[in-house]
Protein backbone atom coordinates (compact mmCIF):
# COMPACT_ATOMS: atom_id res chain seq x y z
CA UNK A 1 0.00 0.00 0.00
CA UNK A 2 1.74 3.18 -1.16
CA UNK A 3 -0.98 5.81 -0.78
CA UNK A 4 -0.85 7.55 2.59
CA UNK A 5 -3.32 6.47 5.26
CA UNK A 6 -4.76 9.97 5.11
CA UNK A 7 -5.77 9.68 1.46
CA UNK A 8 -6.29 5.96 0.92
CA UNK A 9 -9.96 6.08 2.03
CA UNK A 10 -10.82 8.60 -0.69
CA UNK A 11 -9.79 6.44 -3.66
CA UNK A 12 -10.29 8.01 -7.11
CA UNK A 13 -12.79 10.89 -7.26
CA UNK A 14 -16.21 10.23 -8.73
CA UNK A 15 -15.57 12.94 -11.34
CA UNK A 16 -12.55 11.12 -12.76
CA UNK A 17 -14.39 7.80 -12.63
CA UNK A 18 -17.54 9.00 -14.36
CA UNK A 19 -15.89 11.23 -16.98
CA UNK A 20 -13.56 8.34 -17.92
CA UNK A 21 -16.62 6.13 -18.36
CA UNK A 22 -18.37 8.82 -20.42
CA UNK A 23 -15.37 9.01 -22.78
CA UNK A 24 -15.06 5.23 -23.03
CA UNK A 25 -18.76 4.71 -23.80
CA UNK A 26 -19.17 7.82 -25.94
CA UNK A 27 -21.91 8.73 -23.46
CA UNK A 28 -23.49 12.14 -22.86
CA UNK A 29 -21.81 13.52 -19.76
CA UNK A 30 -24.33 15.11 -17.38
CA UNK A 31 -21.99 14.10 -14.55
CA UNK A 32 -18.93 16.27 -13.98
CA UNK A 33 -19.86 19.94 -13.83
CA UNK A 34 -18.24 21.64 -16.80
CA UNK A 35 -19.92 23.48 -19.71
CA UNK A 36 -19.73 21.92 -23.17
CA UNK A 37 -18.95 25.33 -24.70
CA UNK A 38 -15.89 27.59 -24.58
CA UNK A 39 -15.20 30.58 -22.38
CA UNK A 40 -15.58 34.13 -23.73
CA UNK A 41 -13.13 35.38 -26.36
CA UNK A 42 -12.47 38.68 -24.58
CA UNK A 43 -11.02 36.74 -21.66
CA UNK A 44 -8.94 34.43 -23.84
CA UNK A 45 -7.66 37.37 -25.90
CA UNK A 46 -6.49 39.14 -22.76
CA UNK A 47 -4.50 36.07 -21.70
CA UNK A 48 -3.03 35.59 -25.18
CA UNK A 49 -2.21 39.27 -25.67
CA UNK A 50 -0.47 39.51 -22.31
CA UNK A 51 1.55 36.41 -23.10
CA UNK A 52 2.58 37.56 -26.57
CA UNK A 53 3.42 41.04 -25.33
CA UNK A 54 6.23 39.44 -23.34
CA UNK A 55 7.40 39.86 -19.80
CA UNK A 56 4.79 37.52 -18.37
CA UNK A 57 6.52 34.18 -18.51
CA UNK A 58 8.18 34.04 -15.10
CA UNK A 59 6.89 33.61 -11.56
CA UNK A 60 4.35 36.24 -10.64
CA UNK A 61 4.13 37.31 -6.98
CA UNK A 62 2.93 34.44 -4.78
CA UNK A 63 -0.43 36.03 -3.82
CA UNK A 64 -1.19 36.99 -7.44
CA UNK A 65 -0.36 39.81 -9.88
CA UNK A 66 -1.25 43.22 -8.41
CA UNK A 67 -3.64 44.02 -11.32
CA UNK A 68 -5.72 40.95 -10.59
CA UNK A 69 -5.81 41.46 -6.83
CA UNK A 70 -6.90 45.03 -7.53
CA UNK A 71 -9.63 43.82 -9.94
CA UNK A 72 -10.89 41.33 -7.35
CA UNK A 73 -10.89 44.02 -4.67
CA UNK A 74 -12.85 46.37 -6.95
CA UNK A 75 -15.46 43.77 -7.86
CA UNK A 76 -15.95 42.33 -4.39
CA UNK A 77 -15.63 45.51 -2.34
CA UNK A 78 -19.21 46.59 -3.12
CA UNK A 79 -20.49 43.00 -2.89
CA UNK A 80 -18.97 42.58 0.57
CA UNK A 81 -19.88 46.11 1.63
CA UNK A 82 -16.34 47.21 2.50
CA UNK A 83 -13.18 48.56 0.93
CA UNK A 84 -10.84 45.61 0.30
CA UNK A 85 -7.08 45.89 0.70
CA UNK A 86 -5.56 43.90 -2.20
CA UNK A 87 -2.14 43.47 -0.59
CA UNK A 88 -3.40 41.82 2.59
CA UNK A 89 -6.99 40.67 1.99
CA UNK A 90 -6.98 39.11 -1.51
CA UNK A 91 -5.07 36.02 -2.67
CA UNK A 92 -5.12 34.42 -6.12
CA UNK A 93 -5.06 30.60 -6.06
CA UNK A 94 -5.00 27.76 -8.56
CA UNK A 95 -8.75 27.28 -8.62
CA UNK A 96 -11.08 27.28 -5.68
CA UNK A 97 -9.86 23.72 -5.12
CA UNK A 98 -6.45 25.03 -4.11
CA UNK A 99 -8.02 27.78 -2.00
CA UNK A 100 -9.97 25.10 -0.11
CA UNK A 101 -6.87 23.00 0.52
CA UNK A 102 -4.79 26.05 1.47
CA UNK A 103 -7.53 27.18 3.89
CA UNK A 104 -7.65 23.79 5.57
CA UNK A 105 -3.87 23.38 5.72
CA UNK A 106 -3.32 26.95 6.83
CA UNK A 107 -6.00 27.07 9.52
CA UNK A 108 -6.64 23.57 10.87
CA UNK A 109 -4.37 21.83 13.37
CA UNK A 110 -4.20 18.04 13.65
CA UNK A 111 -7.10 16.88 15.79
CA UNK A 112 -9.17 20.05 15.24
CA UNK A 113 -12.84 19.53 14.49
CA UNK A 114 -14.18 20.88 11.20
CA UNK A 115 -17.91 20.87 10.48
CA UNK A 116 -19.01 19.77 7.02
CA UNK A 117 -22.53 20.16 5.69
CA UNK A 118 -23.38 17.07 3.68
CA UNK A 119 -23.92 16.31 0.87
CA UNK A 120 -20.62 18.10 0.13
CA UNK A 121 -18.22 18.69 -2.75
CA UNK A 122 -15.93 15.67 -2.45
CA UNK A 123 -12.76 17.70 -1.88
CA UNK A 124 -14.02 18.88 1.52
CA UNK A 125 -13.50 15.72 3.61
CA UNK A 126 -10.20 15.09 1.77
CA UNK A 127 -8.97 18.59 2.68
CA UNK A 128 -9.89 18.06 6.32
CA UNK A 129 -8.02 14.75 6.24
CA UNK A 130 -4.97 16.38 4.59
CA UNK A 131 -4.85 18.85 7.46
CA UNK A 132 -5.23 16.06 10.04
CA UNK A 133 -8.56 17.50 11.17
CA UNK A 134 -11.61 15.56 12.30
CA UNK A 135 -14.79 16.03 10.25
CA UNK A 136 -18.16 16.39 11.97
CA UNK A 137 -21.29 16.29 9.84
CA UNK A 138 -24.66 17.96 9.53
CA UNK A 139 -27.02 16.55 6.88
CA UNK A 140 -29.30 18.48 4.50
CA UNK A 141 -32.35 16.38 3.71
CA UNK A 142 -34.63 16.37 0.67
CA UNK A 143 -36.93 17.72 -0.57
CA UNK A 144 -35.97 21.19 0.73
CA UNK A 145 -32.35 20.61 1.78
CA UNK A 146 -32.75 23.39 4.33
CA UNK A 147 -30.22 23.75 7.12
CA UNK A 148 -31.17 21.88 10.31
CA UNK A 149 -30.09 24.62 12.70
CA UNK A 150 -30.70 22.56 15.86
CA UNK A 151 -28.45 19.82 14.54
CA UNK A 152 -25.78 22.34 13.62
CA UNK A 153 -26.04 23.76 17.15
CA UNK A 154 -25.41 20.26 18.54
CA UNK A 155 -22.30 19.73 16.46
CA UNK A 156 -20.66 23.16 16.82
CA UNK A 157 -18.99 23.79 20.18
CA UNK A 158 -16.18 26.00 21.51
CA UNK A 159 -13.61 23.38 20.43
CA UNK A 160 -14.74 23.52 16.79
CA UNK A 161 -12.08 25.11 14.63
CA UNK A 162 -13.92 25.72 11.38
CA UNK A 163 -17.07 25.30 9.33
CA UNK A 164 -16.69 24.54 5.64
CA UNK A 165 -19.71 26.13 4.03
CA UNK A 166 -20.89 26.14 0.41
CA UNK A 167 -23.52 28.55 -0.88
CA UNK A 168 -25.11 28.21 -3.46
CA UNK A 169 -24.79 24.56 -2.63
CA UNK A 170 -23.39 21.75 -4.75
CA UNK A 171 -24.97 19.19 -5.21
CA UNK A 172 -28.43 20.21 -3.92
CA UNK A 173 -28.75 23.59 -5.68
CA UNK A 174 -29.92 25.12 -2.43
CA UNK A 175 -29.42 28.88 -1.93
CA UNK A 176 -29.43 29.53 1.82
CA UNK A 177 -31.74 32.16 3.29
CA UNK A 178 -30.83 35.16 5.39
CA UNK A 179 -32.26 33.41 8.46
CA UNK A 180 -30.07 30.39 7.85
CA UNK A 181 -26.97 32.57 7.42
CA UNK A 182 -27.83 34.52 10.56
CA UNK A 183 -28.17 31.27 12.51
CA UNK A 184 -24.79 30.06 11.22
CA UNK A 185 -23.26 33.40 12.12
CA UNK A 186 -24.69 33.32 15.67
CA UNK A 187 -23.32 29.84 16.29
CA UNK A 188 -19.90 30.64 14.81
CA UNK A 189 -19.55 33.88 16.74
CA UNK A 190 -20.71 32.31 20.02
CA UNK A 191 -18.27 29.41 19.65
CA UNK A 192 -15.42 31.33 18.01
CA UNK A 193 -15.47 29.27 14.80
CA UNK A 194 -13.82 30.25 11.49
CA UNK A 195 -15.84 29.82 8.28
CA UNK A 196 -14.41 28.82 4.93
CA UNK A 197 -17.21 29.96 2.63
CA UNK A 198 -17.05 28.44 -0.85
CA UNK A 199 -19.17 30.63 -3.13
CA UNK A 200 -18.09 29.44 -6.59
CA UNK A 201 -21.72 29.35 -7.79
CA UNK A 202 -22.38 32.90 -6.53
CA UNK A 203 -23.67 34.11 -9.91
CA UNK A 204 -25.95 31.14 -10.61
CA UNK A 205 -29.17 31.88 -8.76
CA UNK A 206 -32.63 31.56 -10.27
CA UNK A 207 -36.21 32.77 -9.89
CA UNK A 208 -36.37 35.12 -6.92
CA UNK A 209 -33.47 33.54 -5.03
CA UNK A 210 -30.73 35.91 -3.86
CA UNK A 211 -27.16 34.94 -3.04
CA UNK A 212 -26.17 36.46 0.29
CA UNK A 213 -22.51 36.44 1.23
CA UNK A 214 -21.83 35.08 4.70
CA UNK A 215 -19.02 37.59 5.24
CA UNK A 216 -21.59 40.43 5.03
CA UNK A 217 -23.54 39.20 8.05
CA UNK A 218 -22.73 41.27 11.15
CA UNK A 219 -19.67 39.95 12.97
CA UNK A 220 -18.66 37.54 10.21
CA UNK A 221 -16.04 39.42 8.18
CA UNK A 222 -13.39 38.82 10.88
CA UNK A 223 -13.95 35.07 10.82
CA UNK A 224 -14.74 34.29 7.17
CA UNK A 225 -12.63 33.43 4.15
CA UNK A 226 -14.76 33.87 1.01
CA UNK A 227 -13.63 31.66 -1.87
CA UNK A 228 -14.59 31.73 -5.52
CA UNK A 229 -13.14 31.16 -8.95
CA UNK A 230 -13.28 31.94 -12.64
CA UNK A 231 -14.33 28.41 -13.56
CA UNK A 232 -18.11 28.45 -13.12
CA UNK A 233 -19.05 32.06 -13.81
CA UNK A 234 -16.88 32.38 -16.91
CA UNK A 235 -17.12 28.80 -18.23
CA UNK A 236 -13.37 28.35 -17.72
CA UNK A 237 -13.16 25.32 -15.47
CA UNK A 238 -9.91 24.24 -17.12
CA UNK A 239 -8.13 27.48 -16.26
CA UNK A 240 -7.98 26.68 -12.56
CA UNK A 241 -7.94 30.24 -11.35
CA UNK A 242 -9.53 31.04 -7.99
CA UNK A 243 -9.27 33.51 -5.16
CA UNK A 244 -9.70 33.91 -1.45
CA UNK A 245 -10.89 37.09 0.25
CA UNK A 246 -10.72 37.67 3.97
CA UNK A 247 -9.24 39.67 6.82
CA UNK A 248 -5.46 39.88 7.11
CA UNK A 249 -5.12 37.27 9.88
CA UNK A 250 -7.02 34.61 7.89
CA UNK A 251 -5.36 35.59 4.60
CA UNK A 252 -1.94 35.18 6.23
CA UNK A 253 -2.87 31.65 7.35
CA UNK A 254 -4.09 30.71 3.87
CA UNK A 255 -0.99 32.16 2.21
CA UNK A 256 1.27 30.20 4.56
CA UNK A 257 -0.02 27.04 2.85
CA UNK A 258 -0.49 28.53 -0.65
CA UNK A 259 3.21 29.47 -0.89
CA UNK A 260 4.17 25.79 -0.54
CA UNK A 261 1.29 24.18 -2.42
CA UNK A 262 1.65 25.99 -5.74
CA UNK A 263 3.48 29.20 -4.72
CA UNK A 264 1.45 30.98 -7.40
CA UNK A 265 -0.89 30.62 -10.39
CA UNK A 266 0.06 30.78 -14.11
CA UNK A 267 0.64 34.38 -15.20
CA UNK A 268 -1.25 34.38 -18.54
CA UNK A 269 -4.37 33.05 -16.87
CA UNK A 270 -4.18 35.81 -14.27
CA UNK A 271 -4.16 38.42 -17.04
CA UNK A 272 -7.22 36.79 -18.59
CA UNK A 273 -8.92 36.94 -15.20
CA UNK A 274 -8.40 40.71 -15.00
CA UNK A 275 -10.42 41.05 -18.23
CA UNK A 276 -13.09 38.61 -17.01
CA UNK A 277 -13.69 40.58 -13.82
CA UNK A 278 -14.29 43.67 -15.92
CA UNK A 279 -17.31 42.04 -17.62
CA UNK A 280 -20.44 44.21 -17.77
CA UNK A 281 -23.54 43.38 -15.70
CA UNK A 282 -25.24 42.12 -18.88
CA UNK A 283 -22.69 39.26 -19.07
CA UNK A 284 -23.80 37.93 -15.70
CA UNK A 285 -27.47 38.46 -16.49
CA UNK A 286 -27.28 36.55 -19.79
CA UNK A 287 -25.39 33.71 -18.15
CA UNK A 288 -28.02 33.47 -15.43
CA UNK A 289 -30.93 33.46 -17.90
CA UNK A 290 -29.20 30.85 -20.05
CA UNK A 291 -28.77 28.51 -17.10
CA UNK A 292 -32.29 29.10 -15.84
CA UNK A 293 -33.79 27.95 -19.14
CA UNK A 294 -31.48 24.90 -19.25
CA UNK A 295 -32.53 24.07 -15.70
CA UNK A 296 -36.20 24.21 -16.70
CA UNK A 297 -35.61 22.20 -19.85
CA UNK A 298 -33.92 19.38 -17.94
CA UNK A 299 -36.24 19.51 -14.92
CA UNK A 300 -39.39 19.35 -17.07
CA UNK A 301 -37.95 16.59 -19.21
CA UNK A 302 -36.94 14.51 -16.20
CA UNK A 303 -40.33 15.04 -14.56
CA UNK A 304 -42.06 13.83 -17.72
CA UNK A 305 -39.97 10.68 -17.43
CA UNK A 306 -41.15 10.12 -13.88
CA UNK A 307 -38.19 11.52 -11.93
CA UNK A 308 -38.97 13.32 -8.68
CA UNK A 309 -36.94 16.52 -9.26
CA UNK A 310 -35.70 18.73 -6.40
CA UNK A 311 -35.68 21.95 -8.41
CA UNK A 312 -32.47 23.89 -7.64
CA UNK A 313 -32.51 27.64 -6.91
CA UNK A 314 -28.81 27.86 -7.67
CA UNK A 315 -25.72 26.15 -9.21
CA UNK A 316 -25.86 24.08 -12.39
CA UNK A 317 -26.76 20.82 -10.67
CA UNK A 318 -30.04 19.08 -10.07
CA UNK A 319 -30.79 16.32 -7.58
CA UNK A 320 -33.62 13.92 -8.30
CA UNK A 321 -34.87 10.68 -6.83
CA UNK A 322 -34.03 7.85 -9.18
CA UNK A 323 -36.47 5.18 -10.27
CA UNK A 324 -33.92 2.31 -10.08
CA UNK A 325 -34.33 -0.80 -7.94
CA UNK A 326 -30.79 -0.71 -6.60
CA UNK A 327 -28.69 2.09 -5.13
CA UNK A 328 -27.49 5.23 -6.88
CA UNK A 329 -24.24 3.71 -8.14
CA UNK A 330 -26.09 0.80 -9.66
CA UNK A 331 -28.57 3.18 -11.27
CA UNK A 332 -25.79 5.35 -12.76
CA UNK A 333 -23.78 2.38 -14.08
CA UNK A 334 -26.92 0.86 -15.63
CA UNK A 335 -27.74 4.20 -17.23
CA UNK A 336 -24.35 4.42 -18.95
CA UNK A 337 -24.76 0.91 -20.37
CA UNK A 338 -28.40 1.19 -21.37
CA UNK A 339 -28.86 4.85 -22.33
CA UNK A 340 -25.36 6.22 -22.84
CA UNK A 341 -25.97 8.98 -20.29
CA UNK A 342 -23.66 9.74 -17.37
CA UNK A 343 -24.90 11.18 -14.07
CA UNK A 344 -23.29 11.31 -10.63
CA UNK A 345 -24.27 8.95 -7.80
CA UNK A 346 -24.48 11.34 -4.83
CA UNK A 347 -23.74 8.76 -2.11
CA UNK A 348 -20.08 9.79 -2.46
CA UNK A 349 -21.05 13.21 -1.07
CA UNK A 350 -22.16 11.79 2.29
CA UNK A 351 -20.24 10.42 5.30
CA UNK A 352 -22.73 7.55 5.25
CA UNK A 353 -23.32 6.60 1.58
CA UNK A 354 -26.79 5.22 2.37
CA UNK A 355 -28.05 8.79 2.76
CA UNK A 356 -27.55 9.46 -0.94
CA UNK A 357 -28.49 6.04 -2.30
CA UNK A 358 -31.97 6.97 -3.53
CA UNK A 359 -30.86 10.06 -5.49
CA UNK A 360 -28.93 11.00 -8.60
CA UNK A 361 -27.25 14.28 -9.61
CA UNK A 362 -27.51 15.70 -13.12
CA UNK A 363 -25.51 18.69 -14.42
CA UNK A 364 -27.34 21.06 -16.78
CA UNK A 365 -24.33 23.13 -17.91
CA UNK A 366 -24.68 21.61 -21.38
CA UNK A 367 -26.05 22.88 -24.70
CA UNK A 368 -29.79 22.53 -25.26
CA UNK A 369 -29.23 19.98 -28.06
CA UNK A 370 -27.18 17.88 -25.63
CA UNK A 371 -29.87 18.09 -22.95
CA UNK A 372 -32.58 17.12 -25.48
CA UNK A 373 -30.51 14.20 -26.72
CA UNK A 374 -29.90 13.01 -23.14
CA UNK A 375 -33.65 13.17 -22.43
CA UNK A 376 -34.42 11.23 -25.63
CA UNK A 377 -31.93 8.56 -24.67
CA UNK A 378 -33.41 8.31 -21.17
CA UNK A 379 -36.94 8.13 -22.60
CA UNK A 380 -35.90 5.16 -24.75
CA UNK A 381 -34.90 3.06 -21.74
CA UNK A 382 -37.01 4.23 -18.78
N1 LIG B 1 -16.26 24.19 -4.83
C1 LIG B 1 -17.35 23.60 -5.31
C2 LIG B 1 -18.58 23.55 -4.47
C3 LIG B 1 -17.35 23.05 -6.57
O1 LIG B 1 -18.45 22.45 -7.05
C4 LIG B 1 -16.19 23.12 -7.34
C5 LIG B 1 -16.27 22.54 -8.72
N2 LIG B 1 -15.26 22.09 -9.27
C6 LIG B 1 -15.05 23.73 -6.79
C7 LIG B 1 -15.13 24.25 -5.53
C8 LIG B 1 -13.74 23.79 -7.51
O2 LIG B 1 -13.55 24.96 -8.16
P1 LIG B 1 -12.29 25.17 -9.13
O3 LIG B 1 -12.60 24.46 -10.40
O4 LIG B 1 -12.18 26.64 -9.27
O5 LIG B 1 -11.10 24.58 -8.45
N1 LIG C 1 -17.24 20.60 -9.03
C1 LIG C 1 -17.46 19.79 -10.17
C2 LIG C 1 -18.69 18.94 -9.94
O1 LIG C 1 -19.20 18.88 -8.86
C3 LIG C 1 -16.31 18.89 -10.51
C4 LIG C 1 -14.97 19.24 -10.00
C5 LIG C 1 -13.95 18.19 -10.30
O2 LIG C 1 -13.99 17.56 -11.32
N2 LIG C 1 -13.05 18.01 -9.39
O3 LIG C 1 -19.12 18.31 -10.86
Amino acid sequence: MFTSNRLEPFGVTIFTEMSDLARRHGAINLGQGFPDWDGADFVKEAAVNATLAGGHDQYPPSPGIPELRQAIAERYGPLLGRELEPTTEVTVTSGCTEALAASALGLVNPGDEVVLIEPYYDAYPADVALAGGVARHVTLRPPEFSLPIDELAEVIHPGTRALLFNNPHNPTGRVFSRDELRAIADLCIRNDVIVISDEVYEEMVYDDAEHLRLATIDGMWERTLTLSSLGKTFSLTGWKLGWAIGPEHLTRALRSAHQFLTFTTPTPVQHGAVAALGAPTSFYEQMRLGYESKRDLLANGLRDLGFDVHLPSGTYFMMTDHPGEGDDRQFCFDLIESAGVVAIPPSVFYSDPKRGASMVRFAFCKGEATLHEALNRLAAVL
Side-chain angles (χ1 to χ4, degrees), residues 116-129:
L116 302 183
I117 293 171
E118 62 179 14
Y120 38 58
Y121 175 43
D122 69 345
Y124 291 11
D127 288 335
V128 174

Side-chain angles (χ1 to χ4, degrees), residues 13 15-16 31-34 97 121-122 170 201 232 240 316-317 344 349 361:
T13 94
F15 304 112
T16 299
Q32 191 177 26
F34 61 89
T97 304
Y121 175 43
D122 69 345
N170 174 13
Y201 299 102
K232 321 292 168 186
K240 298 306 295 185
Y316 46 48
F317 302 113
I344 297 288
F349 303 143
R361 190 196 81 172

Side-chain angles (χ1 to χ4, degrees), residues 359-372:
M359 292 181 279
V360 59
R361 190 196 81 172
F362 292 97
F364 54 88
C365 44
K366 310 291 166 178
E368 294 197 355
T370 309
L371 295 175
H372 279 300

Side-chain angles (χ1 to χ4, degrees), residues 60-64 69 91-93 255 258-260 262-265 270:
S62 174
R69 276 182 284 153
T91 309
V92 177
T93 59
R255 286 182 184 177
H258 166 73
Q259 64 184 341
F260 296 125
T262 56
F263 183 74
T264 189
T265 296
Q270 294 199 46

Side-chain angles (χ1 to χ4, degrees), residues 81-225:
R82 58 189 303 119
E83 188 126 332
L84 294 172
E85 176 47 69
T87 53
T88 54
E89 297 179 338
V90 177
T91 309
V92 177
T93 59
S94 293
C96 181
T97 304
E98 195 232 330
L100 286 161
S103 303
L105 292 166
L107 288 162
V108 176
N109 289 302
D112 279 353
E113 288 188 18
V114 179
V115 175
L116 302 183
I117 293 171
E118 62 179 14
Y120 38 58
Y121 175 43
D122 69 345
Y124 291 11
D127 288 335
V128 174
L130 281 175
V134 178
R136 303 286 312 274
H137 302 96
V138 173
T139 308
L140 307 178
R141 296 185 191 84
E144 298 300 327
F145 297 111
S146 49
L147 191 70
I149 307 289
D150 294 348
E151 293 171 33
L152 185 64
E154 274 169 32
V155 169
I156 289 191
H157 62 96
T160 305
R161 177 62 166 168
L163 165 68
L164 232 165
F165 184 57
N166 176 215
N167 183 33
H169 185 259
N170 174 13
T172 66
R174 168 109 188 142
V175 179
F176 292 98
S177 68
R178 186 175 293 280
D179 285 349
E180 287 170 313
L181 294 193
R182 189 63 260 175
I184 291 171
D186 288 345
L187 285 169
C188 290
I189 292 166
R190 198 171 329 134
N191 293 288
D192 195 15
V193 173
I194 297 162
V195 184
I196 301 159
S197 187
D198 171 350
E199 305 186 13
V200 290
Y201 299 102
E202 60 192 323
E203 298 298 339
M204 285 158 205
V205 287
Y206 314 119
D207 308 322
D208 53 1
E210 190 190 356
H211 172 59
L212 301 166
R213 292 174 169 78
L214 192 63
T216 63
I217 305 287
D218 272 356
M220 288 308 288
W221 165 255
E222 297 73 23
R223 58 183 64 256
T224 306
L225 273 176

